[in-house]
Amino acid sequence: MLRISTVAVALLGGAAAGAASPCGALKAVGLGDRLISPNDTGYDTEVNSWWAKNSRQKADCFVLPRTSNEVAAALTTLVNASDVSNIAVRSGGHSSTGSSSTVNGVTIDLSHLNSTSYNAETNIASIGPGGKWEYVYAELIKYGITVTGGRDGDVGVGGFLLGGGNSYYSGRMGFGCDSVVNFEVVLADGTIINANQTANSDLWQALKGGSNNFGIVTRFDLEAVPAPDLLRDTRFLSFNYSYAMIDAVVGFADSDQSIADDAFFTFFSHNTEVSPDIFAAGVHVNTQGITNNTTPFDEAKALPAFYNVTKVENIADAASESKTQSGTWNYGLTLTFNNDKRIAQRCVELHTELVESLNALMAPEAYFTEMFLQPLPSYRWAFGRQNGGNVLGLDNLQNNALLYTAGVGVIADDAPVEEAHALLKAMAAKVVDFAKSVQGEMDFIYLNYADVDQDPLGTYGASNIQLMKNVAAKYDPTGVFQTRIPGGYKISQL
Ligand SMILES: Cc1cc2nc3c(=O)[nH]c(=O)nc-3n(C[C@H](O)[C@H](O)[C@H](O)COP(=O)(O)OP(=O)(O)OC[C@H]3O[C@@H](n4cnc5c(N)ncnc54)[C@H](O)[C@@H]3O)c2cc1C
């Protein structure tokens, strides 16, 4: 292992011994000017910088390191502090499960580790975890390149890449994690190592889908791809045309790689700011900027849209224009099932029932819903293995699939958010029942879209679960990432 900072960290950790509290210990090791504490003017701004209201948790203090060595110092100081408290790790703060924040301890906020650089000789982009995709892209397009990153510009680099990463480029490159050739990682003992195909390759694989179970990633090195301006066509149609959208997404999921540069997803939404009625939406992107490719979306494009924007633009602008409203009480969940039109149609019916139930619970303008269907054509399953392996457990699948995500955002603070969340879960349970009834259910739960009580790691398959357990035991033998950093999905729970 490459030990860059162990000595410095040991010295700093020693200085912290006996300090009164974890926040006091951080001050004692010289990180005082990296702290935001409850009496500081920036404290509320920091708390409110998480995307979803339910993740805006008031830590005892926030520590915002600026280098990997400072991350190591912060982590070891907190682990060794005399008063034990929880630790949370945050990159973009976009998770709505509270996995990157804590109310009972200290949050390590990686927002300042947000640099982006590109090495043209190796074609590798090096990206800090705290970057947000719109700014990452804006930097990379100066070199004419991009990476397999997020579509919503406000999503953070760290959580996205550690949970998989579904991207406009996934048809060519697979999940975002499959483009990562090297992770720089701070381990629980403060050691800073690299994980790649030749060094710590077991950790490299485990981090591709295994989330925050092994260490804090302080840099991602990704293979870059050329970034011509892309075509983005967004359409909102009357609910009456829902089945045309389903035909489109089912067609994309059944497609072969001849249209791998064409990405598509559909969603169904209640949002009174857009329409008084539930509407059906389709978003089609061609990553090469080709405007006249024949795709399964063409029939829906021929239908009347009450909103349509078709643009050829760079990916930074596309990401910047694709942000979902922040500051709501937000709940989301996910499923995966066979690419079966009947299941997709049932999802649309059940979403309508959900909206009816929510309307009985609160004013229509007090909330919005989004129910997404995204195509997963079977050729995508091979990318993980081709790139050295991930732990998502998809390598041996044969079938075309649909990735289902449903969410509700409650705007009003006094609205019954827990009841809304319960209705969402009840709807998903009915989707599962229907998928089973037509033999269309699939195990995979995509971590980045999972609800707090879903079990994504448990769906990765026995060998990947064992690999993650082995990696956690090897690189974090005292279980810091299992017990002291409880947010997120923990391999020790399986
Ligand atoms: C509106 C919206 C749009 C989205 N769009 C997409 C999309 O297009 N494609 C897609 O795949 N997903 C998408 N997502 C899901 C998104 O990828 C996840 O929410 C992801 O976790 C966000 O990353 P983050 O860094 O902002 O998260 P954070 O909330 O900061 O972190 C999420 C989890 O990752 C851990 N973590 C973060 N950084 C590190 C690190 N450096 N080291 C160790 N652990 C870390 C945290 O501890 C936490 O458990 C979207 C979500 C929303 C709400």
Side-chain angles (χ1 to χ4, degrees):
M1 285 185 188
L2 182 64
R3 291 179 183 270
I4 295 177
S5 64
T6 314
V7 174
V9 165
L11 289 172
L12 292 168
S21 68
C23 299
L26 289 168
K27 266 188 206 149
V29 298
L31 290 170
D33 62 354
R34 304 292 190 247
L35 292 189
I36 302 178
S37 303
N39 291 333
D40 293 339
T41 45
Y43 185 79
D44 288 343
T45 306
E46 172 69 11
V47 171
N48 292 331
S49 67
W50 267 255
W51 179 74
K53 231 172 211 172
N54 26 324
S55 292
R56 296 178 174 179
Q57 304 197 74
K58 296 190 170 183
D60 295 338
C61 62
F62 297 86
V63 57
L64 286 77
R66 290 179 177 269
T67 64
S68 306
N69 282 339
E70 288 187 0
V71 173
L75 180 60
T76 51
T77 300
L78 292 170
V79 169
N80 296 327
S82 51
D83 287 357
V84 173
S85 69
N86 285 342
I87 305 165
V89 178
R90 170 239 166 102
S91 281
H94 226 71
S95 144
S96 56
T97 59
S99 67
S100 57
S101 55
T102 180
V103 74
N104 177 28
V106 178
T107 296
I108 301 176
D109 178 351
L110 304 171
S111 295
H112 291 315
L113 268 75
N114 61 359
S115 71
T116 299
S117 61
Y118 175 62
N119 182 332
E121 278 177 24
T122 57
N123 191 37
I124 299 299
S126 294
I127 305 173
K132 297 205 170 197
W133 287 110
E134 67 171 298
Y135 303 117
V136 170
Y137 294 143
E139 198 55 35
L140 293 180
I141 54 174
K142 293 177 188 166
Y143 306 97
I145 58 104
T146 190
V147 292
T148 312
R151 296 166 294 195
D152 179 319
D154 199 37
V155 167
V157 168
F160 175 93
L161 288 174
L162 291 170
N166 200 21
S167 167
Y168 292 138
Y169 296 87
S170 289
R172 287 279 175 224
M173 305 292 287
F175 285 96
C177 63
D178 296 324
S179 292
V180 180
V181 296
N182 181 63
F183 298 92
E184 182 189 81
V185 191
V186 173
L187 301 181
D189 68 357
T191 310
I192 302 176
I193 64 169
N194 285 283
N196 51 53
Q197 192 148 33
T198 52
N200 305 305
S201 59
D202 48 358
L203 178 59
W204 179 54
Q205 182 174 355
L207 285 167
K208 294 194 257 177
S211 195
N212 66 357
N213 278 286
F214 319 105
I216 299 179
V217 176
T218 45
R219 198 188 70 239
F220 297 84
D221 297 330
L222 282 90
E223 182 187 347
V225 291
D229 284 356
L230 45 79
L231 162 79
R232 194 163 61 100
D233 183 321
T234 305
R235 284 162 197 263
F236 296 171
L237 273 64
S238 151
F239 180 78
N240 297 336
Y241 300 124
S242 295
Y243 282 10
M245 290 299 182
I246 288 178
D247 289 346
V249 74
V250 167
F252 267 96
D254 276 339
S255 68
D256 60 27
Q257 271 181 292
S258 62
I259 57 165
D261 293 323
D262 289 281
F264 177 79
F265 60 85
T266 180
F267 65 93
F268 302 84
S269 177
H270 159 93
N271 186 336
T272 54
E273 287 197 4
V274 177
S275 164
D277 303 312
I278 297 172
F279 60 94
V283 178
H284 169 218
V285 165
N286 181 287
T287 57
Q288 303 306 301
I290 298 168
T291 55
N292 59 355
N293 251 13
T294 300
T295 79
F297 191 37
D298 288 350
E299 282 186 27
K301 278 183 177 170
L303 296 170
F306 69 85
Y307 171 86
N308 171 224
V309 175
T310 304
K311 281 185 179 179
V312 176
E313 61 183 346
N314 71 53
I315 184 160
D317 289 342
S320 164
E321 292 160 12
S322 305
K323 295 188 221 167
T324 305
Q325 181 180 349
S326 63
T328 66
W329 297 92
N330 202 282
Y331 300 94
L333 49 75
T334 185
L335 299 167
T336 310
F337 38 76
N338 275 352
N339 184 32
D340 182 328
K341 190 185 285 194
R342 293 168 299 174
I343 306 174
Q345 290 174 348
R346 184 71 185 131
C347 290
V348 172
E349 288 168 8
L350 288 167
H351 172 256
T352 302
E353 288 177 19
L354 171 73
V355 172
E356 285 163 3
S357 303
L358 289 167
N359 280 341
L361 201 61
M362 63 186 111
E365 59 278 6
Y367 76 97
F368 62 88
T369 64
E370 284 174 338
M371 192 274 284
F372 289 85
L373 292 168
Q374 304 189 55
L376 293 174
S378 56
Y379 66 78
R380 275 184 58 175
W381 308 138
F383 287 119
R385 197 171 31 227
Q386 284 165 13
N387 290 291
N390 58 41
V391 288
L392 297 170
L394 302 168
D395 299 347
N396 297 320
L397 294 180
Q398 305 293 333
N399 58 308
N400 301 325
L402 292 174
L403 180 59
Y404 167 93
T405 317
V408 56
V410 179
I411 297 156
D413 279 337
D414 56 356
V417 289
E418 286 308 328
E419 287 90 332
H421 190 189
L423 287 170
L424 185 75
K425 291 202 261 193
M427 172 185 70
K430 289 182 190 166
V431 173
V432 171
D433 286 346
F434 185 81
K436 281 186 180 159
S437 76
V438 294
Q439 285 77 48
E441 79 272 26
M442 288 174 66
D443 285 340
F444 180 60
I445 297 292
Y446 178 42
L447 187 143
N448 278 351
Y449 296 155
D451 202 354
V452 68
D453 54 6
Q454 290 190 289
D455 175 22
L457 300 180
T459 68
Y460 288 4
S463 60
N464 289 310
I465 291 171
Q466 192 56 52
L467 185 144
M468 288 187 285
K469 282 179 184 272
N470 294 346
V471 169
K474 177 174 167 187
Y475 293 90
D476 178 22
T478 59
V480 164
F481 283 85
Q482 303 307 313
T483 55
R484 299 294 306 282
I485 304 181
Y489 306 98
K490 294 292 144 180
I491 192 63
S492 55
Q493 304 290 310
L494 299 178

PDB file of all heavy atoms in Angstrom, residues 427-451:
ATOM      1  N   MET A 427     -47.583   1.649  -3.573  1.00  0.00           N
ATOM      2  CA  MET A 427     -47.680   1.564  -5.035  1.00  0.00           C
ATOM      3  C   MET A 427     -46.600   0.621  -5.577  1.00  0.00           C
ATOM      4  O   MET A 427     -46.879  -0.243  -6.426  1.00  0.00           O
ATOM      5  CB  MET A 427     -47.506   2.951  -5.660  1.00  0.00           C
ATOM      6  CG  MET A 427     -47.410   2.903  -7.176  1.00  0.00           C
ATOM      7  SD  MET A 427     -47.063   4.511  -7.918  1.00  0.00           S
ATOM      8  CE  MET A 427     -45.380   4.778  -7.409  1.00  0.00           C
ATOM      9  N   ALA A 428     -45.378   0.767  -5.080  1.00  0.00           N
ATOM     10  CA  ALA A 428     -44.284  -0.074  -5.584  1.00  0.00           C
ATOM     11  C   ALA A 428     -44.549  -1.548  -5.277  1.00  0.00           C
ATOM     12  O   ALA A 428     -44.232  -2.428  -6.092  1.00  0.00           O
ATOM     13  CB  ALA A 428     -42.960   0.373  -4.973  1.00  0.00           C
ATOM     14  N   ALA A 429     -45.146  -1.810  -4.119  1.00  0.00           N
ATOM     15  CA  ALA A 429     -45.452  -3.207  -3.769  1.00  0.00           C
ATOM     16  C   ALA A 429     -46.431  -3.797  -4.785  1.00  0.00           C
ATOM     17  O   ALA A 429     -46.322  -4.971  -5.166  1.00  0.00           O
ATOM     18  CB  ALA A 429     -46.030  -3.269  -2.359  1.00  0.00           C
ATOM     19  N   LYS A 430     -47.368  -2.967  -5.250  1.00  0.00           N
ATOM     20  CA  LYS A 430     -48.322  -3.459  -6.260  1.00  0.00           C
ATOM     21  C   LYS A 430     -47.626  -3.687  -7.600  1.00  0.00           C
ATOM     22  O   LYS A 430     -47.972  -4.610  -8.340  1.00  0.00           O
ATOM     23  CB  LYS A 430     -49.475  -2.466  -6.423  1.00  0.00           C
ATOM     24  CG  LYS A 430     -50.410  -2.447  -5.226  1.00  0.00           C
ATOM     25  CD  LYS A 430     -51.553  -1.470  -5.474  1.00  0.00           C
ATOM     26  CE  LYS A 430     -52.359  -1.260  -4.209  1.00  0.00           C
ATOM     27  NZ  LYS A 430     -53.250  -0.101  -4.300  1.00  0.00           N
ATOM     28  N   VAL A 431     -46.652  -2.853  -7.916  1.00  0.00           N
ATOM     29  CA  VAL A 431     -45.885  -3.071  -9.158  1.00  0.00           C
ATOM     30  C   VAL A 431     -45.167  -4.420  -9.077  1.00  0.00           C
ATOM     31  O   VAL A 431     -45.185  -5.217 -10.025  1.00  0.00           O
ATOM     32  CB  VAL A 431     -44.862  -1.935  -9.396  1.00  0.00           C
ATOM     33  CG1 VAL A 431     -43.954  -2.269 -10.584  1.00  0.00           C
ATOM     34  CG2 VAL A 431     -45.566  -0.602  -9.629  1.00  0.00           C
ATOM     35  N   VAL A 432     -44.555  -4.679  -7.918  1.00  0.00           N
ATOM     36  CA  VAL A 432     -43.837  -5.953  -7.742  1.00  0.00           C
ATOM     37  C   VAL A 432     -44.805  -7.122  -7.907  1.00  0.00           C
ATOM     38  O   VAL A 432     -44.516  -8.097  -8.615  1.00  0.00           O
ATOM     39  CB  VAL A 432     -43.151  -6.007  -6.355  1.00  0.00           C
ATOM     40  CG1 VAL A 432     -42.593  -7.399  -6.078  1.00  0.00           C
ATOM     41  CG2 VAL A 432     -42.039  -4.963  -6.269  1.00  0.00           C
ATOM     42  N   ASP A 433     -45.971  -7.010  -7.275  1.00  0.00           N
ATOM     43  CA  ASP A 433     -46.962  -8.096  -7.378  1.00  0.00           C
ATOM     44  C   ASP A 433     -47.334  -8.345  -8.835  1.00  0.00           C
ATOM     45  O   ASP A 433     -47.413  -9.486  -9.281  1.00  0.00           O
ATOM     46  CB  ASP A 433     -48.236  -7.737  -6.591  1.00  0.00           C
ATOM     47  CG  ASP A 433     -48.011  -7.852  -5.097  1.00  0.00           C
ATOM     48  OD1 ASP A 433     -46.989  -8.446  -4.701  1.00  0.00           O
ATOM     49  OD2 ASP A 433     -48.850  -7.321  -4.336  1.00  0.00           O
ATOM     50  N   PHE A 434     -47.547  -7.246  -9.566  1.00  0.00           N
ATOM     51  CA  PHE A 434     -47.954  -7.432 -10.961  1.00  0.00           C
ATOM     52  C   PHE A 434     -46.811  -8.040 -11.777  1.00  0.00           C
ATOM     53  O   PHE A 434     -47.023  -8.956 -12.582  1.00  0.00           O
ATOM     54  CB  PHE A 434     -48.403  -6.108 -11.589  1.00  0.00           C
ATOM     55  CG  PHE A 434     -48.935  -6.301 -12.979  1.00  0.00           C
ATOM     56  CD1 PHE A 434     -50.240  -6.743 -13.179  1.00  0.00           C
ATOM     57  CD2 PHE A 434     -48.124  -6.113 -14.092  1.00  0.00           C
ATOM     58  CE1 PHE A 434     -50.732  -6.982 -14.466  1.00  0.00           C
ATOM     59  CE2 PHE A 434     -48.598  -6.347 -15.379  1.00  0.00           C
ATOM     60  CZ  PHE A 434     -49.910  -6.774 -15.566  1.00  0.00           C
ATOM     61  N   ALA A 435     -45.598  -7.529 -11.558  1.00  0.00           N
ATOM     62  CA  ALA A 435     -44.449  -8.063 -12.311  1.00  0.00           C
ATOM     63  C   ALA A 435     -44.302  -9.564 -12.048  1.00  0.00           C
ATOM     64  O   ALA A 435     -44.052 -10.354 -12.970  1.00  0.00           O
ATOM     65  CB  ALA A 435     -43.177  -7.311 -11.933  1.00  0.00           C
ATOM     66  N   LYS A 436     -44.501  -9.949 -10.794  1.00  0.00           N
ATOM     67  CA  LYS A 436     -44.417 -11.385 -10.466  1.00  0.00           C
ATOM     68  C   LYS A 436     -45.510 -12.163 -11.188  1.00  0.00           C
ATOM     69  O   LYS A 436     -45.288 -13.274 -11.672  1.00  0.00           O
ATOM     70  CB  LYS A 436     -44.566 -11.588  -8.953  1.00  0.00           C
ATOM     71  CG  LYS A 436     -43.297 -11.287  -8.186  1.00  0.00           C
ATOM     72  CD  LYS A 436     -43.462 -11.639  -6.710  1.00  0.00           C
ATOM     73  CE  LYS A 436     -42.176 -11.332  -5.968  1.00  0.00           C
ATOM     74  NZ  LYS A 436     -42.369 -11.160  -4.536  1.00  0.00           N
ATOM     75  N   SER A 437     -46.693 -11.569 -11.265  1.00  0.00           N
ATOM     76  CA  SER A 437     -47.825 -12.291 -11.855  1.00  0.00           C
ATOM     77  C   SER A 437     -47.609 -12.573 -13.340  1.00  0.00           C
ATOM     78  O   SER A 437     -48.233 -13.468 -13.890  1.00  0.00           O
ATOM     79  CB  SER A 437     -49.129 -11.509 -11.641  1.00  0.00           C
ATOM     80  OG  SER A 437     -49.183 -10.403 -12.534  1.00  0.00           O
ATOM     81  N   VAL A 438     -46.718 -11.810 -13.971  1.00  0.00           N
ATOM     82  CA  VAL A 438     -46.426 -12.066 -15.391  1.00  0.00           C
ATOM     83  C   VAL A 438     -44.979 -12.554 -15.566  1.00  0.00           C
ATOM     84  O   VAL A 438     -44.394 -12.432 -16.639  1.00  0.00           O
ATOM     85  CB  VAL A 438     -46.697 -10.814 -16.266  1.00  0.00           C
ATOM     86  CG1 VAL A 438     -48.177 -10.484 -16.289  1.00  0.00           C
ATOM     87  CG2 VAL A 438     -45.874  -9.612 -15.801  1.00  0.00           C
ATOM     88  N   GLN A 439     -44.416 -13.085 -14.481  1.00  0.00           N
ATOM     89  CA  GLN A 439     -43.037 -13.622 -14.475  1.00  0.00           C
ATOM     90  C   GLN A 439     -42.026 -12.588 -14.980  1.00  0.00           C
ATOM     91  O   GLN A 439     -41.063 -12.925 -15.670  1.00  0.00           O
ATOM     92  CB  GLN A 439     -42.916 -14.903 -15.327  1.00  0.00           C
ATOM     93  CG  GLN A 439     -43.496 -16.156 -14.692  1.00  0.00           C
ATOM     94  CD  GLN A 439     -45.012 -16.181 -14.776  1.00  0.00           C
ATOM     95  OE1 GLN A 439     -45.565 -15.945 -15.838  1.00  0.00           O
ATOM     96  NE2 GLN A 439     -45.683 -16.436 -13.661  1.00  0.00           N
ATOM     97  N   GLY A 440     -42.248 -11.347 -14.621  1.00  0.00           N
ATOM     98  CA  GLY A 440     -41.353 -10.307 -15.128  1.00  0.00           C
ATOM     99  C   GLY A 440     -40.481  -9.669 -14.066  1.00  0.00           C
ATOM    100  O   GLY A 440     -39.775  -8.697 -14.340  1.00  0.00           O
ATOM    101  N   GLU A 441     -40.509 -10.190 -12.827  1.00  0.00           N
ATOM    102  CA  GLU A 441     -39.748  -9.518 -11.775  1.00  0.00           C
ATOM    103  C   GLU A 441     -38.248  -9.785 -11.930  1.00  0.00           C
ATOM    104  O   GLU A 441     -37.845 -10.834 -12.426  1.00  0.00           O
ATOM    105  CB  GLU A 441     -40.221  -9.937 -10.374  1.00  0.00           C
ATOM    106  CG  GLU A 441     -39.708 -11.275  -9.883  1.00  0.00           C
ATOM    107  CD  GLU A 441     -40.574 -12.448 -10.297  1.00  0.00           C
ATOM    108  OE1 GLU A 441     -41.272 -12.343 -11.325  1.00  0.00           O
ATOM    109  OE2 GLU A 441     -40.522 -13.475  -9.611  1.00  0.00           O
ATOM    110  N   MET A 442     -37.452  -8.818 -11.521  1.00  0.00           N
ATOM    111  CA  MET A 442     -35.996  -8.978 -11.482  1.00  0.00           C
ATOM    112  C   MET A 442     -35.520  -8.518 -10.113  1.00  0.00           C
ATOM    113  O   MET A 442     -36.133  -7.654  -9.497  1.00  0.00           O
ATOM    114  CB  MET A 442     -35.330  -8.128 -12.579  1.00  0.00           C
ATOM    115  CG  MET A 442     -35.534  -8.672 -13.983  1.00  0.00           C
ATOM    116  SD  MET A 442     -34.869  -7.546 -15.241  1.00  0.00           S
ATOM    117  CE  MET A 442     -33.100  -7.622 -14.905  1.00  0.00           C
ATOM    118  N   ASP A 443     -34.379  -9.068  -9.672  1.00  0.00           N
ATOM    119  CA  ASP A 443     -33.903  -8.760  -8.321  1.00  0.00           C
ATOM    120  C   ASP A 443     -33.319  -7.358  -8.201  1.00  0.00           C
ATOM    121  O   ASP A 443     -33.443  -6.723  -7.165  1.00  0.00           O
ATOM    122  CB  ASP A 443     -32.796  -9.748  -7.916  1.00  0.00           C
ATOM    123  CG  ASP A 443     -33.376 -11.096  -7.567  1.00  0.00           C
ATOM    124  OD1 ASP A 443     -34.583 -11.147  -7.279  1.00  0.00           O
ATOM    125  OD2 ASP A 443     -32.618 -12.087  -7.604  1.00  0.00           O
ATOM    126  N   PHE A 444     -32.651  -6.896  -9.237  1.00  0.00           N
ATOM    127  CA  PHE A 444     -31.736  -5.758  -9.105  1.00  0.00           C
ATOM    128  C   PHE A 444     -32.420  -4.496  -8.565  1.00  0.00           C
ATOM    129  O   PHE A 444     -33.416  -4.023  -9.110  1.00  0.00           O
ATOM    130  CB  PHE A 444     -31.111  -5.453 -10.465  1.00  0.00           C
ATOM    131  CG  PHE A 444     -30.138  -4.302 -10.456  1.00  0.00           C
ATOM    132  CD1 PHE A 444     -29.004  -4.337  -9.654  1.00  0.00           C
ATOM    133  CD2 PHE A 444     -30.351  -3.186 -11.254  1.00  0.00           C
ATOM    134  CE1 PHE A 444     -28.096  -3.277  -9.649  1.00  0.00           C
ATOM    135  CE2 PHE A 444     -29.449  -2.122 -11.264  1.00  0.00           C
ATOM    136  CZ  PHE A 444     -28.326  -2.170 -10.455  1.00  0.00           C
ATOM    137  N   ILE A 445     -31.870  -3.979  -7.491  1.00  0.00           N
ATOM    138  CA  ILE A 445     -32.283  -2.683  -6.937  1.00  0.00           C
ATOM    139  C   ILE A 445     -31.100  -1.738  -7.124  1.00  0.00           C
ATOM    140  O   ILE A 445     -30.014  -1.962  -6.571  1.00  0.00           O
ATOM    141  CB  ILE A 445     -32.628  -2.803  -5.431  1.00  0.00           C
ATOM    142  CG1 ILE A 445     -33.825  -3.736  -5.209  1.00  0.00           C
ATOM    143  CG2 ILE A 445     -32.902  -1.426  -4.827  1.00  0.00           C
ATOM    144  CD1 ILE A 445     -35.149  -3.223  -5.727  1.00  0.00           C
ATOM    145  N   TYR A 446     -31.309  -0.702  -7.914  1.00  0.00           N
ATOM    146  CA  TYR A 446     -30.224   0.225  -8.246  1.00  0.00           C
ATOM    147  C   TYR A 446     -29.981   1.170  -7.067  1.00  0.00           C
ATOM    148  O   TYR A 446     -30.862   1.954  -6.694  1.00  0.00           O
ATOM    149  CB  TYR A 446     -30.602   0.996  -9.513  1.00  0.00           C
ATOM    150  CG  TYR A 446     -29.579   2.010  -9.935  1.00  0.00           C
ATOM    151  CD1 TYR A 446     -28.224   1.721  -9.893  1.00  0.00           C
ATOM    152  CD2 TYR A 446     -29.964   3.269 -10.387  1.00  0.00           C
ATOM    153  CE1 TYR A 446     -27.280   2.654 -10.277  1.00  0.00           C
ATOM    154  CE2 TYR A 446     -29.034   4.207 -10.783  1.00  0.00           C
ATOM    155  CZ  TYR A 446     -27.694   3.891 -10.719  1.00  0.00           C
ATOM    156  OH  TYR A 446     -26.752   4.821 -11.091  1.00  0.00           O
ATOM    157  N   LEU A 447     -28.795   1.082  -6.492  1.00  0.00           N
ATOM    158  CA  LEU A 447     -28.485   1.776  -5.232  1.00  0.00           C
ATOM    159  C   LEU A 447     -28.748   3.283  -5.304  1.00  0.00           C
ATOM    160  O   LEU A 447     -29.277   3.878  -4.363  1.00  0.00           O
ATOM    161  CB  LEU A 447     -27.027   1.490  -4.852  1.00  0.00           C
ATOM    162  CG  LEU A 447     -26.544   1.994  -3.491  1.00  0.00           C
ATOM    163  CD1 LEU A 447     -25.582   0.983  -2.863  1.00  0.00           C
ATOM    164  CD2 LEU A 447     -25.855   3.349  -3.594  1.00  0.00           C
ATOM    165  N   ASN A 448     -28.395   3.888  -6.424  1.00  0.00           N
ATOM    166  CA  ASN A 448     -28.514   5.350  -6.490  1.00  0.00           C
ATOM    167  C   ASN A 448     -29.954   5.847  -6.444  1.00  0.00           C
ATOM    168  O   ASN A 448     -30.188   7.027  -6.173  1.00  0.00           O
ATOM    169  CB  ASN A 448     -27.851   5.875  -7.765  1.00  0.00           C
ATOM    170  CG  ASN A 448     -26.353   6.013  -7.599  1.00  0.00           C
ATOM    171  OD1 ASN A 448     -25.834   5.886  -6.501  1.00  0.00           O
ATOM    172  ND2 ASN A 448     -25.651   6.255  -8.693  1.00  0.00           N
ATOM    173  N   TYR A 449     -30.908   4.969  -6.744  1.00  0.00           N
ATOM    174  CA  TYR A 449     -32.312   5.384  -6.708  1.00  0.00           C
ATOM    175  C   TYR A 449     -33.068   4.733  -5.546  1.00  0.00           C
ATOM    176  O   TYR A 449     -34.286   4.901  -5.441  1.00  0.00           O
ATOM    177  CB  TYR A 449     -33.033   4.969  -8.000  1.00  0.00           C
ATOM    178  CG  TYR A 449     -32.553   5.602  -9.287  1.00  0.00           C
ATOM    179  CD1 TYR A 449     -32.747   4.948 -10.502  1.00  0.00           C
ATOM    180  CD2 TYR A 449     -31.954   6.847  -9.315  1.00  0.00           C
ATOM    181  CE1 TYR A 449     -32.345   5.513 -11.706  1.00  0.00           C
ATOM    182  CE2 TYR A 449     -31.536   7.416 -10.509  1.00  0.00           C
ATOM    183  CZ  TYR A 449     -31.735   6.747 -11.696  1.00  0.00           C
ATOM    184  OH  TYR A 449     -31.336   7.306 -12.885  1.00  0.00           O
ATOM    185  N   ALA A 450     -32.365   3.979  -4.708  1.00  0.00           N
ATOM    186  CA  ALA A 450     -33.062   3.141  -3.721  1.00  0.00           C
ATOM    187  C   ALA A 450     -33.609   3.957  -2.559  1.00  0.00           C
ATOM    188  O   ALA A 450     -33.059   4.994  -2.174  1.00  0.00           O
ATOM    189  CB  ALA A 450     -32.108   2.070  -3.199  1.00  0.00           C
ATOM    190  N   ASP A 451     -34.687   3.459  -1.999  1.00  0.00           N
ATOM    191  CA  ASP A 451     -35.276   4.046  -0.802  1.00  0.00           C
ATOM    192  C   ASP A 451     -34.460   3.587   0.409  1.00  0.00           C
ATOM    193  O   ASP A 451     -33.682   2.630   0.339  1.00  0.00           O
ATOM    194  CB  ASP A 451     -36.735   3.576  -0.668  1.00  0.00           C
ATOM    195  CG  ASP A 451     -37.565   4.513   0.204  1.00  0.00           C
ATOM    196  OD1 ASP A 451     -36.995   5.458   0.795  1.00  0.00           O
ATOM    197  OD2 ASP A 451     -38.783   4.294   0.296  1.00  0.00           O
TER     198      ASP A 451
END
